[in-house]
Amino acid sequence: MARGRISRLSVRDVRFPTSLGGHGSDAMIGPEKGVVHLATAAILNAVWDLWAKQEGKPLWKLLVDMDPRTLLSCIDFRYITDVLTEEDAYEILKKGQVGKKEREEQMLMHGYPAYTTSCAWLGYSDDTLKQLCAAALKDGWTRFKVKVGADLQDDMRRCRLIRDMIGPEKTLAACACPQKRKCQMMDANQRWDVPEAVEWMSKLAEFKPLWIEEPTSPDDILGHATISKALVPLGIGVATGEQCHNRVIFKQLLQANALQFLQIDSCRLGSVNENLSVLLMAKKFGIPVCPHAGGVGLCELVQHLIIFDYISVSTSLKNRMCEYVDHLHEHFKYPVVIKQASYMPPKDAGYSTEMKEDSVRKHQYPDGDVWKKLLAAQEN
């Protein structure tokens, strides 16, 4: 595919909802949400991968080097102009040009700060939790997320165990937290009703969590606002976004002061295009972006977006970090590189999405070896 053809396709034709699922019969099953939107993200993320490869650049570099007006032509501003117009976005990107070279050099040298979710899943024994936490500390991790919400007493024991291991108050220059300590975040994965979330987190406040993630239904904007209002005096922020359908939900979360940490997802939204609009809205509202990045390829993708965000949009690392989970990276041709608990900017051209042929072949349904074994086991 010729260079010009890729550029025209990416900038003009692939403005996601208009051309892929935002009108006609598609709108009847929910415009810009659900399986249609996920499929849209898959197609457009592949186009961005092709575009970056054609230019011989990693995606983050393609975005960083792009003229602001060209970048804005990739964004659909429908439904969000009440909080962010194209001119607002242009002013943000224009201001982001100042010091851009220095921020890019900083990323190449030190990387983007990350936190780990791999140590404290629900169901881990205390011994397993201790072993994983000790190994992570040895590897330089200073930010840890704990899964909570199944049993309060169990949560309190596990959170106390982790807080005791990582220490209460330590000054760390690399830490993005305002308290300048080793950080503990909590994730409820949508388990609670609104009053329950407030009550539960009031009990866990003694462990000084930086945030509670997805405390209730991801669709409950006003519920998140209520929780946020109750927990801010306790020093606990609300983080959400990994299940947000589209930029409109993010717009309303921001308008309602319903979150203190915004969590984009590289595949839930309609690809790079829609994530760009959310990054710009977050900047407009002064809310830090701390992406969701489970270890199923999401880390490989979202690292590009957050590195671009720092260099060209937010221009700040205050209160900012990106999730890291150490699962399944072995299946990707260009896996993430973590050094001293930071994402190092990818250097290979593209969006880091390409999987190893052998991995694809083994997991292909229904003829791959993995599926053959599963189906055979079911028959037996």
Side-chain angles (χ1 to χ4, degrees), residues 20-306:
L20 290 173
H23 62 90
S25 60
D26 295 326
M28 297 301 103
I29 58 174
E32 300 176 36
K33 62 171 68 76
V35 68
V36 172
H37 213 44
L38 290 169
T40 297
I43 294 169
L44 298 191
N45 279 337
V47 171
W48 281 96
D49 180 54
L50 287 171
W51 188 1
K53 285 178 178 175
Q54 185 65 43
E55 295 292 333
K57 298 178 180 180
L59 180 84
W60 68 266
K61 181 64 172 170
L62 175 71
L63 295 172
V64 165
D65 290 347
M66 200 177 292
D67 173 78
R69 288 295 183 192
T70 303
L71 192 69
L72 293 177
S73 71
C74 301
I75 299 174
D76 192 333
F77 285 90
R78 289 186 309 163
Y79 313 135
I80 63 172
T81 55
D82 50 331
V83 301
L84 183 78
T85 66
E86 187 167 340
E87 284 306 308
D88 292 335
Y90 177 73
E91 287 301 315
I92 290 171
L93 291 172
K94 190 168 70 171
K95 290 179 181 177
Q97 299 294 306
V98 179
K100 187 169 72 172
K101 181 179 179 182
E102 291 75 14
R103 289 190 296 276
E104 181 174 336
E105 291 173 351
Q106 180 185 357
M107 284 290 99
L108 290 169
M109 183 174 295
H110 300 292
Y112 197 95
Y115 70 87
T116 178
T117 302
S118 299
C119 296
W121 296 97
L122 287 174
Y124 280 1
S125 68
D126 287 359
D127 285 343
T128 298
L129 195 154
K130 289 177 182 178
Q131 290 171 9
L132 292 173
C133 190
L137 285 166
K138 187 176 180 181
D139 288 339
W141 290 96
T142 60
R143 309 169 188 89
F144 300 79
K145 188 163 77 178
V146 187
K147 297 289 185 175
V148 298
D151 179 90
L152 179 58
Q153 295 306 314
D154 184 60
D155 286 348
M156 294 187 73
R157 190 190 74 256
R158 293 164 64 251
C159 290
R160 182 175 291 110
L161 189 156
I162 290 180
R163 176 54 74 190
D164 288 345
M165 289 192 71
I166 69 176
E169 300 286 339
K170 292 188 178 181
T171 300
L172 296 169
C175 186
C177 300
Q179 299 93 339
K180 293 186 178 180
R181 64 171 186 247
K182 290 186 176 178
C183 306
Q184 186 182 77
M185 291 79 72
M186 298 178 184
D187 186 353
N189 287 112
Q190 313 161 27
R191 283 179 173 267
W192 301 318
D193 284 347
V194 172
E196 186 181 18
V198 174
E199 182 181 3
W200 202 296
M201 288 310 300
S202 296
K203 302 276 182 58
L204 296 179
E206 66 175 281
F207 305 109
K208 299 182 172 62
L210 184 64
W211 74 56
I212 177 59
E213 183 174 331
E214 287 198 314
T216 192
S217 165
D219 296 339
D220 190 355
I221 295 163
L222 297 182
H224 276 86
T226 298
I227 295 167
S228 174
K229 185 177 181 180
L231 296 185
V232 164
L234 300 178
I236 304 172
V238 168
T240 194
E242 70 177 86
Q243 301 290 345
C244 280
H245 301 296
N246 51 50
R247 66 198 181 283
V248 178
I249 301 297
F250 275 114
K251 179 189 77 169
Q252 294 179 60
L253 285 165
L254 290 165
Q255 287 175 308
N257 296 316
L259 77 176
Q260 285 71 48
F261 301 91
L262 186 150
Q263 297 176 307
I264 58 170
D265 183 283
S266 54
C267 294
R268 176 71 60 179
L269 297 182
S271 88
V272 175
N273 304 67
E274 190 167 26
N275 271 295
L276 292 174
S277 67
V278 176
L279 292 175
L280 288 160
M281 283 193 289
K283 172 65 175 179
K284 178 83 177 289
F285 280 83
I287 296 296
V289 176
C290 300
H292 169 248
V296 290
L298 296 176
C299 297
E300 275 71 19
L301 273 71
V302 82
Q303 61 179 334
H304 292 269
L305 300 177
I306 200 62

